[in-house]
Amino acid sequence: MREKDLYKALNNESIRAGILRKWQNISRAVESVIKTYPFVLDYAKEVKIAKMEVSSNYEYWIDKAMRAFENAANRSKSKCYVHYAKNEKDARKIIGEVVRSGKVIVKAKSMVSEEIGLKKFLHELGNEVWETDLGDFIVQLANDRPMHLIAPAIHYSKKQAARILEKVGIRGESVEDLAEGVRGFMREKFLVANVGISGCNAFSAETGRIFLVENEGNIRISTTLPEKYVAIVSIDKMLPSDELCLKSVLVQSAFAGTFPPSYININEPGSQEIHVVFLDNGRKDAPEFAREQLACIRCGRCQTECPVFQMLGNYWGSIYGGPMGLVLSYIITRNIGIEVFLCCLCGKCREVCPMEIDMPSIIRELRKRWFAEKR
Amino acid sequence: MTEAELDDLLKIFVESLKRNFVNVIFSSNLNADPDSFVSEALSAAADTGIIFFGGFDERKKAALAEHHIAIVRRDVVCRDTVEAYKLAASKSRFIFASSSASKTADIEGKLIWGMHGPRKFTVILEVESEGERPL
């Protein structure tokens, strides 16, 4: 986080306008979802317990999950491979060797791919890389960064989005026209793509299945059409069973305010060449005081509700912004930046988190450690 | 499950589908062949309206179709999504689920149907006799 970026964010009215619009819509939507589908609260509790158990013994669960995928690959007699990356450099190297150069790559929305700097790396290898989620596509064309975990282009108005999409010849005045233009543009890319890349919302250590939840349909196409598919699985996405994975993705979409999700994709070895890349990147040895953050299901609720995030968006933090981002970035990098002091410790993040992660306490501990380090 | 219990379940399922903005056709003859991609559901969840399908090629077609039509037999409607998942997983190795047409709200939060996947999603629900409406 750079100080000048914070001023840039403060002076950008559309960041505030976008996040506040999302905040109003999502708060009402989540409230209504919980009222209609109260069982998601029970699912959330079960998922939290399971995630804490998995994070207490990642070595065991990584081994179990990798074997589950290998067994599924052997049963299907398909070309499926499992890889382990200790850090982001390892992950880039592995994926670079799988993809090589001269390919058309369609990417599903994935924050973990942002974490490892994948798009730039694959582009430098000589590949054509396309973000296929509408918001991420706008962000890619604008050479910007995703502003929110699940709503990356939240900070662009319709007018700004239209101007950005003109770069690839997509024109339109209404949101309907713009979406239709992107649909046509992306269909051409999907049909010629050699490789599809996604993250993972939940990975079953029981069967080796990859669970992905979405509304646009781009993940289903990106992970089904190309002959080669790469899934990046950060180890905190592992769960002991398919049932818990299903519950986890249902809770994620409920707390994102879009329930039920239009699509649940459950990918497993079969008709494609699949590469699953497990990524540690600091998670396995996370300090005990911050381990609870590894139960996060990335619904983005803590970001939208945070009064500081509402002012600064994702400029507050690194790849993952806002309350969850402060803690997860620390787990990944072990660096404590001055940005931990921007948190106002109001506790709203903890209040709305479906996993009830005590982010304010962890941030308080980060502050103490910052002082100890600087002394 | 008794007939009366099944009827109650179908009512809940149809309510869930309507909440998901899904067009529902009631039919006692499931051999009709509408001019779109048609697939038979492995299972369906009454509580959420989430419908499970099977097969890799089916998933490909369902992803690219302009209009995805799901045929749901009355005996595959389950109480909840976990039960529906388990039933689907017992029938096929490749499972995927849909609950509506594709959608996005990425520009100014405005809801747009038909982003990358099907523009329309229709459910043909099997009923016992012509004219029966579970809602």
Side-chain angles (χ1 to χ4, degrees):
Chain A
M1 185 199 75
R2 293 173 308 176
E3 199 177 314
K4 70 174 187 180
D5 284 339
L6 294 182
Y7 285 108
K8 199 171 143 190
L10 282 173
N11 291 324
N12 187 341
E13 180 54 39
S14 65
I15 291 181
R16 267 194 306 285
I19 296 172
L20 288 175
R21 185 174 51 239
K22 177 93 185 156
W23 173 51
Q24 283 162 354
N25 292 344
I26 212 169
S27 297
R28 276 196 300 267
V30 174
E31 207 175 291
S32 157
V33 165
I34 291 170
K35 206 171 152 195
T36 314
Y37 309 97
F39 55 84
V40 294
L41 297 175
D42 298 328
Y43 288 1
K45 284 191 176 72
E46 284 179 59
V47 172
K48 169 81 183 280
I49 292 167
K51 282 200 163 234
M52 291 313 292
E53 192 189 316
V54 170
S55 72
S56 71
N57 195 357
Y58 274 137
E59 286 288 0
Y60 169 80
W61 288 103
I62 291 167
D63 181 56
K64 194 168 161 57
M66 288 175 93
R67 273 191 289 116
F69 184 79
E70 277 169 351
N71 289 342
N74 290 339
R75 273 198 305 275
S76 70
K77 295 187 176 64
S78 55
K79 285 186 185 173
C80 292
Y81 308 92
V82 62
H83 311 263
Y84 181 77
K86 186 159 177 47
N87 52 39
E88 53 187 64
K89 197 174 158 201
D90 276 2
R92 285 196 299 268
K93 186 170 178 285
I94 291 165
I95 298 169
E97 282 167 5
V98 169
V99 173
R100 298 170 190 267
S101 63
K103 306 290 194 308
V104 176
I105 300 166
V106 281
K107 261 186 88 265
K109 174 166 181 43
S110 155
M111 286 307 291
V112 74
S113 75
E114 297 287 330
E115 178 185 327
I116 64 172
L118 188 62
K119 191 162 53 212
K120 184 169 173 275
F121 174 75
L122 291 175
H123 187 73
E124 284 168 359
L125 281 183
N127 295 293
E128 189 182 320
V129 189
W130 295 102
E131 293 287 356
T132 59
D133 171 86
L134 174 61
D136 266 337
F137 181 50
I138 292 168
V139 167
Q140 178 184 17
L141 294 178
N143 202 20
D144 197 357
R145 60 198 290 186
M147 196 50 65
H148 183 271
L149 276 175
I150 56 157
I154 198 171
H155 55 311
Y156 289 120
S157 66
K158 178 180 71 177
K159 222 172 177 177
Q160 289 169 316
R163 210 166 43 237
I164 293 164
L165 289 168
E166 273 181 12
K167 286 185 183 178
V168 287
I170 295 169
R171 289 183 172 78
E173 286 183 10
S174 66
V175 179
E176 286 84 350
D177 289 346
L178 296 173
E180 187 60 29
V182 172
R183 180 183 170 101
F185 180 90
M186 213 50 84
R187 275 289 162 121
E188 287 178 21
K189 303 299 173 194
F190 284 134
L191 294 173
V192 297
N194 312 99
V195 183
I197 297 181
S198 77
C200 169
N201 297 123
F203 187 93
S204 169
E206 178 189 13
T207 58
R209 286 178 168 146
I210 302 153
F211 285 68
L212 289 156
V213 70
E214 59 158 337
N215 292 308
E216 289 190 6
N218 62 308
I219 298 182
R220 181 162 290 176
I221 304 177
S222 301
T223 64
T224 308
L225 233 55
E227 285 179 0
K228 202 180 271 188
Y229 163 45
V230 180
I232 313 161
V233 182
S234 61
I235 57 172
D236 52 314
K237 301 298 179 71
M238 292 184 298
L239 279 162
S241 67
D242 284 20
E243 183 175 333
L244 282 161
C245 287
L246 181 66
K247 287 176 174 172
S248 177
V249 298
L250 291 176
V251 174
Q252 183 182 3
S253 62
F255 280 79
T258 54
F259 193 87
S262 294
Y263 305 117
I264 302 172
N265 304 296
I266 302 143
N267 298 337
E268 70 161 79
S271 301
Q272 290 165 296
E273 180 178 324
I274 302 183
H275 294 261
V276 169
V277 182
F278 283 94
L279 174 71
D280 174 2
N281 218 16
R283 291 163 173 87
K284 204 162 68 182
D285 302 318
E288 188 55 31
F289 78 93
R291 187 166 64 89
E292 193 186 10
Q293 191 60 52
L294 294 167
C296 172
I297 53 165
R298 315 283 196 275
C299 65
R301 192 86 203 285
C302 64
Q303 294 185 329
T304 326
E305 294 283 341
C306 169
V308 181
F309 189 86
Q310 287 171 1
M311 301 288 284
L312 300 172
N314 224 5
Y315 285 103
W316 179 37
S318 54
I319 297 301
Y320 303 91
M324 63 74 64
L326 283 183
V327 185
L328 190 57
S329 298
Y330 166 72
I331 290 173
I332 292 166
T333 64
R334 297 293 199 280
N335 290 325
I336 307 173
I338 191 84
E339 61 267 25
V340 293
F341 292 94
L342 289 178
C343 169
C344 62
L345 297 175
C346 67
K348 192 73 186 168
C349 50
R350 180 182 52 205
E351 191 186 312
V352 298
C353 174
M355 298 288 109
E356 298 176 352
I357 298 170
D358 191 357
M359 286 167 267
S361 293
I362 305 173
I363 292 169
R364 220 175 270 125
E365 179 61 31
L366 287 174
R367 288 179 174 188
K368 276 191 219 160
R369 289 179 183 226
W370 186 89
F371 278 116
E373 278 176 18
K374 302 292 162 193
R375 201 172 288 144
Chain B
M1 198 182 299
T2 65
E3 269 303 310
E5 282 171 338
L6 182 56
D7 286 346
D8 285 345
L9 205 56
L10 293 180
K11 275 181 201 160
I12 298 169
F13 179 51
V14 172
E15 275 169 18
S16 294
L17 292 171
K18 299 219 178 229
R19 216 168 22 235
N20 299 347
F21 302 97
V22 172
N23 182 30
V24 187
I25 296 168
F26 303 101
S27 174
S28 59
N29 172 19
L30 298 184
N31 296 320
D33 185 21
D35 187 23
S36 289
F37 175 63
V38 185
S39 55
E40 188 170 334
L42 296 180
S43 64
D47 62 348
T48 57
I50 292 175
I51 299 169
F52 288 91
F53 305 92
F56 187 79
D57 285 338
E58 293 263 318
R59 186 169 81 192
K60 206 181 268 189
K61 288 173 191 163
L64 294 171
E66 291 282 303
H67 183 187
H68 182 192
I69 299 177
I71 294 177
V72 180
R73 294 189 185 275
R74 52 194 278 120
D75 60 355
V76 301
V77 179
C78 304
R79 278 190 182 81
D80 62 47
T81 313
V82 174
E83 198 185 311
Y85 175 82
K86 286 179 179 168
L87 179 60
S90 71
K91 294 177 179 177
S92 174
R93 217 155 49 80
F94 291 102
I95 318 159
F96 59 100
S98 301
S99 74
S100 71
S102 79
K103 63 187 181 217
T104 185
D106 271 355
I107 301 177
E108 289 192 352
K110 184 166 185 200
L111 181 64
I112 303 291
W113 292 98
M115 185 54 237
H116 290 295
R119 296 177 197 273
K120 274 175 75 183
F121 183 64
T122 301
V123 169
I124 302 179
L125 176 61
E126 182 192 31
V127 287
E128 259 202 320
S129 56
E130 206 52 56
E132 183 190 337
R133 298 286 178 271
L135 197 66

